[in-house]
Amino acid sequence: MHPTPRLYAAIAATSALASVATAQQCYSPQNQCFSFAPPAEEMERIETGLELRSNALTLTGDIRFRARAANAPDSAPYNGNDQQTMRTRIQMDYQVNDYIQAFVEFNFSEVWAGAEGYSDAQPDLSQDGFASRTNFNGIGQAYMQLDNAFELGEKLRIGRSNYFLANGLVLGSCDFLQYPGAFTGAWLSRSFDEVDVELFAFDNYGPLQSQLPGGGERYAGGTARWNASEDSYLRTLNAYYMAGLREGDVTRNGDDSWVGVEADGNIEGLFEWIGQFGHRTVGNGGKDVSAYRIILEKNFDAENGEFLRRVAVTRTESEGALHINPADFNTAGLLHQYGGIWRSNLATNQLSVAFTPGWDLDMTASVMTLDRRGSATQLGDFETDLLIGKEFRSGLHAGFGFGIDNDDRKVGYLQLTTYF
């Protein structure tokens, strides 16, 4: 694959922003794609910095075991596979100096013998030419990050990196997967008082479950965020634009473009709110797609002795598929029958209650309605989910998830994760 004039133009546009523009915000989970454990950056770790030639190298990692069990009656088709998997990641974060950082992550994942296939964790598929999807043993991320290295107030990340476009419902790095999606490219950003601006151009090779035989596809775009206030009716206002470049080895979305806005705030100190809207312009005469999500939540941490922590109501609606590689596991239920909330012609109403009953347990119960539009088959009208998490003194986090719908489809997850 050779660079083309359009790629050079995208890189030139990205470079031109250095004097006026900054990396936005979305390299860490900001969505609903979880792996029955907290994000790694939220876990306390023992400091293991090693002094090297320049400053320090920090070694971190995590190891997880996950089992999935599912069942459904014959009258309610469902992916009722049982599976056991392992994933290990090791991150090396090298702080070269005050301006330069290098980061490398190794990822090893495997499906246990006799387990059935689910998502990107597949048993031996060598007979159909997709052996690389079975397990993964390689480098998941490798990038350099420059912070004002050229004395222009810029931030520049180059290489293969996790990334979330806005809310992650269109494109993101889903930690539920054995090999979270990472993207190879450049992200250039700059802050202007309360406004953060970023331009990007990257190749998407997809996570292991993505059907991209032979290579990747290329995109470019930009994001902007206005940090209006810390605690007001409007806290932040975000906007993004992304387009396929009709370049790369795969051009399935080369004529498509995405635009979206999202905002959040606080209503008189009583309720938190989040609003999101996305639109996909489909090339080659396809039908355009729009979607939205509205969340209204009340937090009780300081008011109820931390037993009832949060109550949230959510309304979502999508006219079709907006996603490329979304980070949205659980947005439409643990049964995951429709993918996520922006993956199909689907509307949902959701009520979620989070509480801590004691014994250091963290529990969340959710009920939702699922309304499939158009001619697609309706798979369940109502779903109830329960999530339970506990961090043990030994440094082990245990997570359990259970989902059931009105047609008696059931799925259960058990996950053990150690962070180091």
Side-chain angles (χ1 to χ4, degrees):
M1 179 174 63
H2 300 286
T4 65
R6 293 195 67 182
L7 175 60
Y8 287 129
I11 294 175
T14 299
S15 302
L17 189 67
S19 61
V20 293
T22 254
Q24 194 177 330
Q25 47 265 30
C26 298
Y27 304 109
S28 298
Q30 312 245 348
N31 46 67
Q32 203 168 337
C33 180
F34 67 100
S35 64
F36 305 100
E41 56 267 30
E42 295 183 5
M43 302 301 295
E44 294 186 5
R45 305 175 189 264
I46 298 174
E47 291 294 331
T48 57
L50 302 176
E51 294 299 322
L52 297 176
R53 179 174 58 88
S54 298
N55 289 341
L57 169 69
T58 302
L59 297 174
T60 58
D62 57 81
I63 300 175
R64 80 178 187 196
F65 163 78
R66 185 168 67 216
R68 179 184 191 268
N71 182 264
D74 294 338
S75 59
Y78 180 57
N79 186 0
N81 292 354
D82 297 338
Q83 186 180 73
Q84 306 82 40
T85 62
M86 291 287 293
R87 186 187 73 184
T88 301
R89 296 184 296 188
I90 299 175
Q91 299 95 25
M92 299 191 302
D93 192 348
Y94 182 28
Q95 191 67 41
V96 180
N97 51 43
D98 291 341
Y99 313 104
I100 304 172
Q101 174 192 6
F103 184 89
V104 178
E105 177 187 82
F106 297 92
N107 182 309
F108 173 76
S109 59
E110 63 179 348
V111 179
W112 286 21
E116 299 173 295
Y118 181 74
S119 187
D120 67 322
Q122 300 292 333
D124 184 10
L125 299 177
S126 57
Q127 65 272 16
D128 65 5
F130 287 94
S132 62
R133 294 173 57 203
T134 304
N135 299 315
F136 181 80
N137 184 11
I139 296 178
Q141 297 186 76
Y143 62 82
M144 70 172 72
Q145 181 159 301
L146 312 180
D147 189 353
N148 198 31
F150 302 108
E151 300 185 42
L152 298 171
E154 85 293 343
K155 289 187 178 180
L156 176 62
R157 179 176 291 207
I158 302 177
R160 185 163 181 81
S161 171
N162 289 347
Y163 179 67
F164 300 87
L165 179 64
N167 53 34
L169 297 176
V170 173
L171 180 141
S173 186
C174 185
D175 200 44
F176 176 84
L177 301 176
Q178 290 289 84
Y179 176 34
F183 310 92
T184 298
W187 293 262
L188 176 65
S189 59
R190 195 177 190 279
S191 294
F192 303 90
D193 296 324
E194 292 83 18
V195 179
D196 302 326
V197 180
E198 178 176 78
L199 294 182
F200 57 78
F202 61 78
D203 289 348
N204 168 38
Y205 290 96
L208 294 185
Q209 89 279 18
S210 185
Q211 299 296 317
L212 296 177
E217 52 195 1
R218 187 162 295 153
Y219 298 90
T223 64
R225 180 177 66 183
W226 175 36
N227 303 293
S229 68
E230 292 186 0
D231 192 16
S232 183
Y233 292 105
L234 178 65
R235 276 199 292 256
T236 64
L237 178 63
N238 302 269
Y240 61 87
Y241 173 79
M242 183 176 69
L245 295 183
R246 284 184 287 183
E247 295 179 349
D249 299 320
V250 180
T251 58
R252 58 174 183 168
N253 298 322
D255 293 314
D256 292 1
S257 62
W258 290 259
V259 62
V261 294
E262 55 187 64
D264 68 271
N266 184 289
I267 301 176
E268 297 188 358
L270 297 176
F271 298 96
E272 310 286 332
W273 68 270
I274 300 173
Q276 302 166 340
F277 172 82
H279 181 79
R280 177 178 185 172
T281 300
V282 181
N284 298 322
K287 182 181 178 182
D288 291 358
V289 179
S290 295
Y292 70 86
R293 173 165 68 169
I294 299 173
I295 303 173
L296 185 66
E297 69 177 32
K298 171 68 173 176
N299 293 293
F300 297 94
D301 290 348
E303 300 175 17
N304 266 339
E306 297 186 354
F307 173 76
L308 181 63
R309 294 193 300 104
R310 183 180 65 257
V311 176
V313 293
T314 302
R315 167 69 183 182
T316 76
E317 189 163 359
S318 179
E319 297 175 341
L322 271 80
H323 67 287
I324 301 174
N325 287 331
D328 63 350
F329 178 76
N330 190 45
T331 57
L334 285 181
L335 289 170
H336 211 54
Q337 298 182 89
Y338 306 101
I341 55 173
W342 284 14
R343 289 206 213 180
S344 61
N345 198 341
L346 179 71
T348 75
N349 297 288
Q350 306 183 26
L351 172 63
S352 179
V353 180
F355 52 97
T356 52
W359 310 286
D360 294 326
L361 294 175
D362 186 357
M363 304 181 68
T364 302
S366 302
V367 294
M368 65 188 68
T369 66
L370 301 150
D371 182 11
R372 188 77 168 251
R373 311 295 179 83
S375 59
T377 303
Q378 179 75 27
L379 300 174
D381 302 291
F382 306 95
E383 181 172 330
T384 302
D385 296 327
L386 178 65
L387 298 170
I388 303 175
K390 177 178 173 63
E391 183 181 2
F392 291 88
R393 188 182 305 179
S394 62
L396 179 70
H397 184 277
F400 170 78
F402 175 76
I404 184 171
D405 74 354
N406 58 293
D407 292 326
D408 201 31
R409 299 178 180 91
K410 296 183 288 290
V411 66
Y413 288 93
L414 173 64
Q415 180 170 302
L416 304 176
T417 307
T418 294
Y419 298 90
F420 57 87

